[in-house]
Amino acid sequence: MVRIHLGCQLTYDFPQNTAMIVMLNVHYSRVAQLERPDHLITNPPVPIESYRDGFGNWCCRLVAPAGRFVLGTDSVIRDDGLPDPVALDAVQHAVQDLPPDTLLFLLPSRYCETDTLSAEAWRLFGKAPTGWGRVQAICDFVHGHIKFGYEHSRPTRTAAEAYAEGRGVCRDYAHLAVAFCRAMNIPARYCTGYISDIGQPPPYAEMDFAAWMEVYLGGRWHVFDPRNNQPRIGRILIATGRDAADVPLTHTFGANNLAGFRVWTAPVGE
């Protein structure tokens, strides 16, 4: 068991009062491991209305005042300290045998143009073994095909564009892998959250939120991470959706300037 200190702080400058939807709280599936609630805290304080979206993610709705506005979370979570589980025998289900609530994650979405990439997916992975092996083949390909770099970040890049350009950030890796999986009739959903550096050799990059995917095999959802392409310790989920359009950390209904951004996740005591 490991105790992980996690949280974030985002600093904005707003020219006028601006409505926001914020998705920064730990996913309900991990809330029981929190040692204290990771309430959204703002400065200056404002009224916050919370609700669950259609995917079950916890969302906070507020109106940020004009001027400097700071928001964030902070908590400690208990983690089993184990790497992401690997289930090499997890089988791929026939579409007609899939549970109804997984079918949405077979369809094209804003950033995952499954229809556009279908023929290419079958060309690349049609001969790969079904189930876990096929998803791993997709992750291996995406991991090697995309060159990572924050200088390559573009919030409007789609999976097809990431494939054509061969560069991006973790959300682009996830979008492309999700699109390829769906094209191969494997339900896949986009995930956002924290990934710690526990078990990784230094030096460590500056901490940021991360994106990965979950795929439905063998009767349950499994984590795959095409960006890192290896099991990691201390992966803490915030939200899941069809793609990044469903799970933005903040959705701001007006002009703004992000003046500061900090994320932390580390074993307690470090």
Side-chain angles (χ1 to χ4, degrees):
M1 183 70 66
V2 60
R3 300 170 65 231
I4 300 174
H5 180 209
L6 53 76
C8 63
Q9 184 181 77
L10 284 67
T11 302
Y12 285 92
D13 291 319
F14 289 105
Q16 60 190 15
N17 291 356
T18 305
M20 299 182 71
I21 297 173
V22 180
M23 198 178 297
L24 293 172
N25 297 103
V26 169
H27 194 259
Y28 69 83
S29 61
R30 299 298 306 271
V31 165
Q33 285 82 52
L34 288 173
E35 294 189 0
R36 59 176 183 267
D38 61 336
H39 293 309
L40 181 69
I41 304 297
T42 71
N43 185 22
V46 298
I48 298 173
E49 177 187 358
S50 298
Y51 66 94
R52 294 201 184 279
D53 67 9
F55 300 98
N57 304 311
W58 193 246
C59 305
C60 295
R61 183 181 182 186
L62 57 87
V63 176
R68 178 60 56 95
F69 184 66
V70 181
L71 69 161
T73 64
D74 185 77
S75 189
V76 173
I77 193 167
R78 297 184 301 274
D79 189 79
D80 60 16
L82 301 175
D84 301 320
V86 175
L88 298 178
D89 59 347
V91 299
Q92 181 174 336
H93 300 278
V95 173
Q96 61 268 28
D97 296 330
L98 287 167
D101 60 358
T102 67
L103 298 178
L104 175 65
F105 300 103
L106 288 176
L107 306 179
S109 58
R110 166 68 177 85
Y111 292 111
C112 299
E113 315 100 315
T114 303
D115 44 359
T116 301
L117 290 167
S118 180
E120 191 66 357
W122 281 97
R123 184 186 72 82
L124 291 169
F125 311 113
K127 296 182 179 179
T130 60
W132 189 278
R134 178 168 283 174
V135 179
Q136 189 58 59
I138 289 171
C139 289
D140 291 344
F141 176 85
V142 172
H143 180 76
H145 182 76
I146 295 180
K147 178 182 178 182
F148 181 87
Y150 287 112
E151 69 276 15
H152 304 317
S153 177
R154 188 174 75 243
T156 60
R157 182 183 286 115
T158 69
E161 290 170 340
Y163 180 58
E165 297 171 19
R167 59 187 183 182
V169 292
C170 58
R171 61 173 267 160
D172 300 303
Y173 288 77
H175 282 153
L176 183 54
V178 164
F180 279 150
C181 285
R182 292 177 185 170
M184 306 303 293
N185 298 328
I186 303 170
R189 62 191 184 189
Y190 180 94
C191 303
T192 185
Y194 301 89
I195 301 179
S196 80
D197 288 321
I198 296 172
Q200 299 300 302
Y204 303 126
E206 186 174 354
M207 187 56 62
D208 196 357
F209 288 111
W212 61 90
M213 69 174 180
E214 291 178 350
V215 302
Y216 192 84
L217 297 171
R220 62 179 296 268
W221 293 97
H222 298 267
V223 167
F224 283 85
D225 184 349
R227 161 68 179 100
N228 295 295
N229 206 29
Q230 61 175 332
R232 295 290 293 266
I233 298 170
R235 187 186 303 273
I236 312 298
L237 181 67
I238 289 178
T240 65
R242 293 167 297 182
D243 57 34
D246 289 330
V247 293
L249 300 172
T250 61
H251 191 109
T252 307
F253 297 87
N256 66 89
N257 175 54
L258 181 61
F261 181 86
R262 291 199 304 122
V263 178
W264 52 89
T265 172
V268 171
E270 289 191 7

